[in-house]
């Protein structure tokens, strides 16, 4: 995975786009190539290249209303002699700061450095943030757990019709947005698990609700994965020393009910329900994190396969 500085995006993408737009704006205002080159600190040959379209323009910058307005303001100011180069630089730097605050520079940065996707990175404007580091760690953990789950053929037979999800909560999580999971869930397709995308925060409801209920009772429990309830899996859990905890499948007050059960009985490794009208029977495996929960789930599925 390449390490790309945001300043590289500014130099290689933002600056050529800004110059190309300014060249066009100033030319349209009647300035000569020599005058334009003097304002922008480039050669007349470079101005010619910008005018001919030989320089790649980043659409996410050029189509942004803030950049269009900034270029027009600078172009008018330089052409009319009402703005000096210091003021023009100040305006461009202010725009770069805006674009680096979860703006289009961030979007381009995520394209060239995928490790930044989904973590709400704001290193450019706020520096290192322990919260962002926690989010990255959770997303990485869920991603690795999903990869392992999808790589075990024995799991496929235990995927419920509604799909399987892998979830993990941030430290001190208190709402669904603090829990990362796979959007759209994982489904069994032609003998394998289909993973529709990378994990995101707020992508799960039911598995996240169970994780939050468990975490409220035992902060050391932050991960879970769901499978379909079966006597074979329940037997495998008991054989492994995990006594499954049964709970009501009713969804109206499900999370509150789970918290009551966990407070009374402790957080189990395996919790399940036998379904209800329109509700498929589901078994949950819990763990310290997503990878831990998946490790136990994989072992249970393998034990059933024999």
């Amino acid at each position: 995975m390449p390490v790309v500085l945001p300043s590289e995006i500014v130099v290689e993408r933002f600056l050529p786009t800004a110059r190309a737009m300014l060249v066009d704006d100033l030319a349209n205002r009647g300035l000569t190539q020599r005058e334009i080159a003097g304002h922008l600190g480039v050669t007349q040959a470079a101005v010619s290249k910008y005018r001919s379209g030989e320089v790649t323009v980043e659409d996410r910058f050029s189509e942004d209303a803030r950049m269009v307005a900034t270029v027009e303001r600078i172009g008018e100011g330089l052409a009319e002699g009402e703005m000096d180069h210091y003021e023009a630089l100040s305006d461009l730097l202010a725009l770069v700061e805006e674009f680096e605050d979860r703006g289009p520079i961030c979007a381009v940065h995520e394209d060239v450095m995928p490790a930044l996707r989904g973590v709400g990175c704001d290193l450019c404007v706020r520096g290192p943030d322990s919260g962002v580091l926690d989010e990255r760690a959770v997303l990485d953990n869920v991603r690795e757990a999903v990869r392992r789950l999808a790589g075990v053929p024995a799991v496929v037979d235990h995927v419920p019709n509604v799909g399987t999800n892998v979830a993990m909560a941030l430290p001190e999580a208190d709402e669904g947005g603090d829990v990362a999971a796979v959007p759209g869930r994982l489904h069994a397709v032609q003998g394998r698990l289909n993973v529709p995308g990378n994990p995101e925060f707020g992508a799960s409801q039911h598995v996240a609700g169970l994780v939050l209920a468990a975490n409220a009772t035992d902060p050391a429990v932050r991960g879970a994965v769901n499978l379909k309830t079966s006597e074979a899996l329940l037997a495998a859990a008991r054989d492994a020393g995990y006594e499954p905890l049964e709970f009501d499948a009713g969804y109206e007050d499900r999370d509150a009910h789970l918290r009551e059960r966990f407070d009374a009985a402790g957080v189990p490794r395996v919790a399940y329900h036998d379904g209800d009208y329109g509700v498929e029977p589901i078994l949950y495996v819990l763990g310290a994190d997503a990878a831990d929960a998946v490790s136990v789930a994989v072992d249970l599925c393998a034990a059933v396969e024999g």
Side-chain angles (χ1 to χ4, degrees):
M1 184 68 64
V3 175
V4 180
L5 295 172
S7 55
E8 295 180 66
I9 306 300
V10 174
V11 171
E12 297 172 6
R13 305 284 190 93
F14 178 89
L15 183 57
T17 300
R19 280 177 171 164
M21 294 175 69
L22 281 167
V23 164
D24 285 345
D25 184 273
L26 292 170
N28 291 336
R29 296 180 189 276
L31 273 70
T32 66
Q33 284 193 0
R34 182 177 180 180
E35 290 171 326
I36 295 171
H39 282 305
L40 302 187
V42 298
T43 65
Q44 292 186 51
V47 171
S48 179
K49 286 186 177 181
Y50 283 117
R51 281 295 281 169
S52 64
E54 294 181 42
V55 176
T56 301
V57 170
E58 173 58 58
D59 292 341
R60 279 170 288 192
F61 299 155
S62 64
E63 295 175 0
D64 190 288
R66 292 169 294 180
M67 186 150 193
V68 172
T70 298
V71 167
E72 290 180 351
R73 184 169 61 253
I74 293 174
E76 180 179 5
L78 294 177
E80 299 296 328
E82 297 174 351
M83 176 182 286
D84 61 24
H85 294 160
Y86 177 90
E87 293 169 319
L89 175 62
S90 177
D91 274 12
L92 286 173
L93 287 175
L95 183 61
V96 168
E97 288 184 3
E98 282 191 53
F99 278 16
E100 285 182 336
D101 192 359
R102 302 194 182 186
I105 285 178
C106 299
V108 176
H109 201 186
E110 288 176 0
D111 281 352
V112 299
M113 195 173 172
L116 299 175
R117 289 176 182 162
V119 301
C121 172
D122 52 10
L123 282 170
C124 294
V125 292
R126 295 177 182 86
D129 186 306
S130 60
V132 171
L133 295 178
D134 285 340
E135 290 177 6
R136 286 193 59 193
V138 168
L139 290 169
D140 286 345
N141 191 288
V142 175
R143 193 177 296 112
E144 180 56 35
V146 168
R147 191 159 35 240
R148 182 176 183 196
L149 193 71
V152 179
V155 170
V156 174
D157 292 336
H158 303 281
V159 175
N161 292 328
V162 295
T164 289
N165 216 330
V166 179
M168 181 176 173
L170 289 166
E172 301 181 3
D174 59 10
E175 62 180 13
D178 296 328
V179 182
V182 177
R185 305 176 185 172
L186 290 72
H187 292 271
V189 179
Q190 297 181 342
R192 59 183 294 274
L193 271 184
N194 178 57
V195 182
N198 287 317
E200 298 176 3
F201 285 96
S204 171
Q205 180 180 355
H206 301 311
V207 183
L210 177 126
V211 170
L212 289 170
N215 184 255
T217 297
D218 184 353
V221 178
R222 293 168 51 200
V225 57
N226 71 301
L227 302 168
K228 64 182 177 183
T229 300
S230 70
E231 288 301 324
L233 278 179
L234 292 172
R238 293 187 180 99
D239 289 343
Y242 309 130
E243 183 57 39
L245 175 70
E246 183 178 7
F247 65 93
D248 191 345
Y251 277 75
E252 185 174 339
D253 57 351
R254 176 177 178 273
D255 293 350
H257 173 66
L258 280 169
R259 292 193 184 209
E260 290 177 3
R261 294 302 310 278
F262 292 158
D263 285 342
V267 178
R269 267 295 198 173
V270 177
Y272 74 99
H273 64 69
D274 284 324
D276 202 347
Y277 181 76
V279 179
E280 188 175 8
I282 298 294
L283 177 147
Y284 298 89
V285 181
L286 296 102
D289 53 30
D292 180 42
V294 163
S295 179
V296 173
V298 165
D299 288 345
L300 295 181
C301 292
V304 170
E305 294 295 314

